[in-house]
Amino acid sequence: MCGVMRDTAHIFDLVLKRLMRLSGRAVVCLINGLFGTRHPLDASVEYPNVETVSDGLRQRLSDMMIIVNKVHVYHIEGEVRYKVGIVLRIFEYGYASAINSKVVSGDGRVVELTFPDAI
């Protein structure tokens, strides 16, 4: 990608992340609209760490993970233009989130993975 497009994409990314943190109420409205949910507008909103590190020690950052009411996890990726592999990246980020919050049964035989709702 040429330097101008990369710079524009980076600016868009920073603006999106900043806007998403300005108002929890607005974020809940956006999530309700995007995902068809009915969270109360005064629901708690948290932004967990979005950094993952691959087996090859490559750092990856998803755009936005949001937890509403300490239970419902949403993953939002914003792109300036279509990129090949975005669907796989969204899955990869969701998988990393699921692994970080996995639940293992007492005998270690059952592992429960919960993926975030993604868009």
Side-chain angles (χ1 to χ4, degrees), residues 1-116:
M1 180 181 343
C2 73
V4 173
M5 276 303 292
R6 187 174 45 248
D7 292 343
T8 301
H10 182 67
I11 290 169
F12 173 78
D13 193 51
L14 293 174
V15 168
L16 172 66
K17 289 175 182 174
R18 179 67 181 136
L19 286 173
M20 293 296 285
R21 292 175 183 263
L22 289 177
S23 167
R25 186 179 186 93
V27 168
V28 171
C29 282
L30 178 67
I31 287 172
N32 284 342
L34 289 174
F35 294 97
T37 55
R38 292 178 174 239
H39 298 296
L41 297 181
D42 61 348
S44 68
V45 176
E46 300 171 50
Y47 303 93
N49 182 9
V50 293
E51 177 184 7
T52 58
V53 179
S54 70
D55 290 338
L57 300 179
R58 184 172 169 218
Q59 180 187 32
R60 303 287 305 257
L61 296 171
S62 65
D63 280 347
M64 187 76 44
M65 288 282 186
I66 300 165
I67 302 173
V68 177
N69 277 341
K70 301 192 182 295
V71 175
H72 307 282
V73 183
Y74 299 93
H75 173 204
I76 299 172
E77 282 292 315
E79 293 293 337
V80 174
R81 62 190 178 114
Y82 177 77
K83 290 183 183 175
V84 173
I86 186 156
V87 172
L88 292 176
R89 275 197 353 260
I90 289 172
F91 175 79
E92 180 182 8
Y93 297 142
Y95 178 73
S97 173
I99 289 295
N100 286 335
S101 62
K102 70 182 175 228
V103 177
V104 180
S105 65
D107 62 6
R109 293 177 52 183
V110 177
V111 175
E112 181 180 315
L113 297 178
T114 303
F115 284 74

